[in-house]
Amino acid sequence: MRRAGDVFGRRAGHRQLKQLSGGMRGLVGRLSVAVVALLICTVFLFSTIGRNRPAIRSKVNLDDLWETAPSEGWRPSSAPRSSWPPPPNESNGYLRVRCNGGLNQQRSAICNAVLAARIMNATLVLPELDTNSFWRDESGFKGVYDVEHFIKSLRYDVSIVESLPDVHDHGKSKKMKAYQIRPPRDAPPSWYTTVALQKMKEHGAIYLTPFSHRLAEELDNSEYQRLRCRVNYHALRFKPNIMKLSNEIVSKLRSQGHFMAIHLRFEMDMLAFAGCLDIFTLEEQKILKKYRKENFAPKELNYNVRRAIGKCPLTPEEVGLILRAVGFDNSTRIYLAAGELFGGERFMKPFRDLFPRLENHSTVLTAEELQENTRGLVGAAVDYMVCLLADIFMPTYDGPSNFANNLMGHRLYYGFRTTIQPDRKALAPIFVDRENGRTAGFADAIRKVMFNTEFGGPHKRVHPESFYTNSWPECFCQKSAKNTGDKCPPDNALEVLNSRLQTEKRESESNQSEVEALRVNEEAQATD
């Protein structure tokens, strides 16, 4: 005989079990929904991340690399997009600068000099190039750049003169003297509107020397950044003889199809700077150590550590192996922009065996065609133009190389022209394994690294990438941009600037006429 309590207890337990079972099913259901939601969010997150960085490709179509990189609707534009008044008729004084370093370090300094003059409402004296210490030639600004084009192109931005004016004192005429200042590195605009401007107003002219990296690169003012682009990509045009030589080289190279330009930075100064000595003979190491001691600050550098973190320039052979792994064959035509390679033919032979169609300006042009000089600043300018116009550009050592960094930025601005940029840090262990006999999967490993790149397309600038290497998005625009700041300026932007400039000139001339009339009237009254 069953007791009531037993029956009640069992029934109650059964109900509790059913409730617990139903609760578990509900909990599992809710958890399933949560898991699905989490999965969807995760997929969305990774898809968003994927849009902000290049996807790793399994392969690259070489035919695509010979064309420009996808632009995603962006095009270069450095015209002002907001109120941009012309330079004042009465400036605060004159600005002189001495640009030190190589051609492209000087190029960046010129851009900064124009911007500094704009910030201070100053008249810029044609920048001086420190040619003697680096190149040991006397080319100067006038020997490399088209001065008339430079001044004319920037007439809406700053007033530029070729030299300081004469001043008259006690009946004698002499050249105005500029007060010399050593500006701080990466100085903010506020330094120019306070310290520098105060001295300019006191003395009438200031002389900033040295002037390399003396104005901060990252500025919140997009119009200031666009002015840099107007200088770098429009106003700084090489002289006609340099353009002629460059075009002749490009025409001869392209007459046989596509060609690639490589900046092979395997020279004594860069190797000594990087401290990558162990691959050289003892005698060669002595030369590099001596050069380093004479030109760079003392520092203990370990070759294996430096190489592992990507601080060593790629060897010519490594460059060849990378290109072969990507898919280029020995018919590829390559233009080498390089100084004298350290170690000579011993290092070049493996590269030449892989790619026998290597050229430079000396092999493309005849002796007669080279009579216009291709050494020093002019030679660097010719190499710069050939690399700019090449179908593909590959820098082997960006790092502190202003040549490579500026070229990548110029090619980006020139219509997203393809750039192959090796990640030396990611490639280092692959090459080390190969040297130690572990060659299995070598080409696949190289491709995995190399295919994870933008190849010259628009991408976000991330430190330590320089503004001169990547001026996107400030110096680019989209016709149908969602963001107002990214919209292209009106097609008549230059006409508007020119109209403002002409209006300012007319008003200035009118004011001067009134002042002259008053002066004549006062003199007449004094005579009466």
Side-chain angles (χ1 to χ4, degrees):
M1 180 176 172
R2 290 179 299 185
R3 291 175 297 185
D6 291 340
V7 174
F8 178 80
R10 287 175 182 173
R11 286 179 178 174
H14 183 62
R15 284 197 302 271
Q16 288 172 346
L17 184 61
K18 285 179 69 177
Q19 289 171 354
L20 179 61
S21 176
M24 285 295 292
R25 285 197 298 272
L27 178 61
V28 169
R30 288 193 296 273
L31 282 174
S32 299
V33 172
V35 169
V36 170
L38 179 61
L39 181 61
I40 292 171
C41 290
T42 303
V43 170
F44 175 78
L45 176 62
F46 276 97
S47 67
T48 304
I49 293 173
R51 287 197 294 271
N52 292 329
R53 68 179 185 185
I56 297 177
R57 305 167 176 84
S58 59
K59 62 182 294 185
V60 166
N61 187 334
L62 293 189
D63 290 337
D64 292 340
L65 290 184
W66 290 116
E67 306 300 327
T68 56
S71 68
E72 299 175 19
W74 292 91
R75 66 179 179 85
S77 174
S78 56
R81 296 175 206 174
S82 58
S83 178
W84 189 256
N89 293 303
E90 294 294 328
S91 73
N92 288 320
Y94 293 89
L95 172 64
R96 278 182 65 197
V97 299
R98 181 178 66 84
C99 307
N100 56 306
L103 176 72
N104 289 279
Q105 184 169 305
Q106 292 172 356
R107 192 179 182 101
S108 301
I110 294 167
C111 298
N112 288 340
V114 172
L115 179 53
R118 174 76 189 195
I119 290 170
M120 294 190 289
N121 283 330
T123 298
L124 178 66
V125 181
L126 202 65
E128 302 166 22
L129 304 189
D130 181 22
T131 54
N132 288 326
S133 63
F134 193 90
W135 295 103
R136 293 179 175 83
D137 71 23
E138 297 288 344
S139 298
F141 193 100
K142 294 182 179 180
V144 178
Y145 295 108
D146 186 331
V147 174
E148 183 180 350
H149 176 78
F150 180 73
I151 295 174
K152 184 179 179 181
S153 296
L154 297 171
R155 64 191 181 278
Y156 309 121
D157 305 304
V158 291
S159 296
I160 303 173
V161 295
E162 294 193 28
S163 61
L164 285 171
D166 291 335
V167 292
H168 301 279
D169 186 23
H170 301 296
K172 294 182 179 180
S173 178
K174 59 181 180 180
K175 191 70 68 178
M176 176 187 280
K177 287 187 178 179
Y179 181 80
Q180 186 169 320
I181 310 175
R182 183 185 181 92
R185 187 178 176 89
D186 298 322
S190 59
W191 182 87
Y192 289 89
T193 56
T194 53
V195 177
L197 186 56
Q198 180 186 345
K199 293 298 181 184
M200 178 178 286
K201 289 180 176 180
E202 286 178 16
H203 300 274
I206 58 173
Y207 183 33
L208 303 184
T209 177
F211 198 75
S212 172
H213 307 293
R214 302 295 158 169
L215 178 57
E217 276 193 20
E218 293 299 332
L219 301 175
D220 293 332
N221 190 323
S222 294
E223 293 297 359
Y224 283 172
Q225 299 293 61
R226 282 190 273 273
L227 174 54
R228 278 173 160 157
C229 290
R230 290 199 291 281
V231 181
N232 206 8
Y233 307 133
H234 296 279
L236 282 174
R237 186 169 71 187
F238 294 122
K239 287 179 68 68
N241 65 304
I242 295 173
M243 300 298 283
K244 179 173 176 287
L245 274 174
S246 306
N247 286 327
E248 286 174 356
I249 292 173
V250 171
S251 295
K252 290 191 176 186
L253 291 170
R254 192 159 285 143
S255 66
Q256 300 183 37
H258 294 298
F259 79 95
M260 175 191 304
I262 295 179
H263 184 223
L264 197 55
R265 199 67 167 95
F266 200 72
E267 298 145 345
M268 180 168 63
D269 63 328
M270 188 53 68
L271 290 163
F273 170 81
C276 302
L277 316 181
D278 290 25
I279 59 174
F280 298 100
T281 65
L282 291 177
E283 188 60 34
E284 289 168 339
Q285 289 185 35
K286 286 181 183 178
I287 296 171
L288 292 172
K289 288 176 181 177
K290 181 175 182 292
Y291 186 92
R292 179 171 180 81
K293 185 177 180 180
E294 293 173 350
N295 293 278
F296 305 112
K299 188 178 181 180
E300 286 295 323
L301 299 175
N302 180 285
Y303 169 72
N304 292 326
V305 172
R306 298 287 288 173
R307 190 184 188 193
I309 60 175
K311 296 298 183 182
C312 287
L314 294 170
T315 68
E317 182 180 20
E318 288 171 343
V319 174
L321 291 170
I322 290 169
L323 293 176
R324 275 301 183 86
V326 170
F328 294 98
D329 60 29
N330 62 2
S331 67
T332 306
R333 193 158 201 187
I334 297 174
Y335 179 88
L336 288 182
E340 184 177 351
L341 266 64
F342 193 74
E345 189 60 23
R346 176 163 55 92
F347 285 94
M348 274 303 299
K349 187 179 184 305
F351 187 21
R352 203 182 304 280
D353 289 343
L354 291 167
F355 293 93
R357 301 185 71 187
L358 298 179
E359 307 278 5
N360 59 34
H361 56 241
S362 298
T363 61
V364 176
L365 298 179
T366 64
E368 292 75 19
E369 291 171 313
L370 289 171
Q371 284 179 354
E372 294 177 77
N373 184 17
T374 49
R375 292 177 296 177
L377 283 173
V378 175
V382 169
D383 278 348
Y384 184 94
M385 284 306 302
V386 176
C387 290
L388 173 63
L389 298 172
D391 300 299
I392 297 173
F393 173 63
M394 179 178 176
T396 62
Y397 192 72
D398 44 340
S401 173
N402 292 289
F403 184 96
N405 288 330
N406 281 20
L407 258 168
M408 286 191 285
H410 203 157
R411 287 177 64 84
L412 195 74
Y413 189 85
Y414 198 63
F416 304 106
R417 301 176 79 83
T418 301
T419 296
I420 298 177
Q421 188 177 359
D423 183 342
R424 295 187 307 280
K425 185 176 180 179
L427 290 167
I430 303 172
F431 283 116
V432 170
D433 281 348
R434 180 178 179 274
E435 290 158 14
N436 293 329
R438 296 187 291 272
T439 58
F442 171 78
D444 287 338
I446 292 288
R447 282 192 288 272
K448 185 176 180 180
V449 172
M450 294 302 299
F451 292 168
N452 187 23
T453 179
E454 302 90 1
F455 289 113
H459 60 281
K460 185 177 180 181
R461 184 170 64 252
V462 179
H463 183 77
E465 191 175 33
S466 163
F467 174 80
Y468 293 102
T469 302
N470 179 12
S471 59
W472 185 87
E474 294 95 332
C475 295
F476 295 82
C477 69
Q478 285 181 312
K479 280 286 186 183
S480 56
K482 294 180 181 178
N483 184 354
T484 305
D486 295 332
K487 288 184 177 179
C488 293
D491 292 335
N492 66 338
L494 288 180
E495 293 176 17
V496 172
L497 292 173
N498 191 57
S499 175
R500 288 178 184 172
L501 183 62
Q502 296 306 320
T503 301
E504 289 280 336
K505 282 184 177 180
R506 285 194 296 270
E507 290 177 356
S508 176
E509 289 169 358
S510 176
N511 292 335
Q512 287 176 0
S513 298
E514 290 178 10
V515 170
E516 182 63 19
L518 285 171
R519 186 187 65 78
V520 171
N521 187 42
E522 288 173 357
E523 288 179 355
Q525 288 178 356
T527 303
D528 293 342

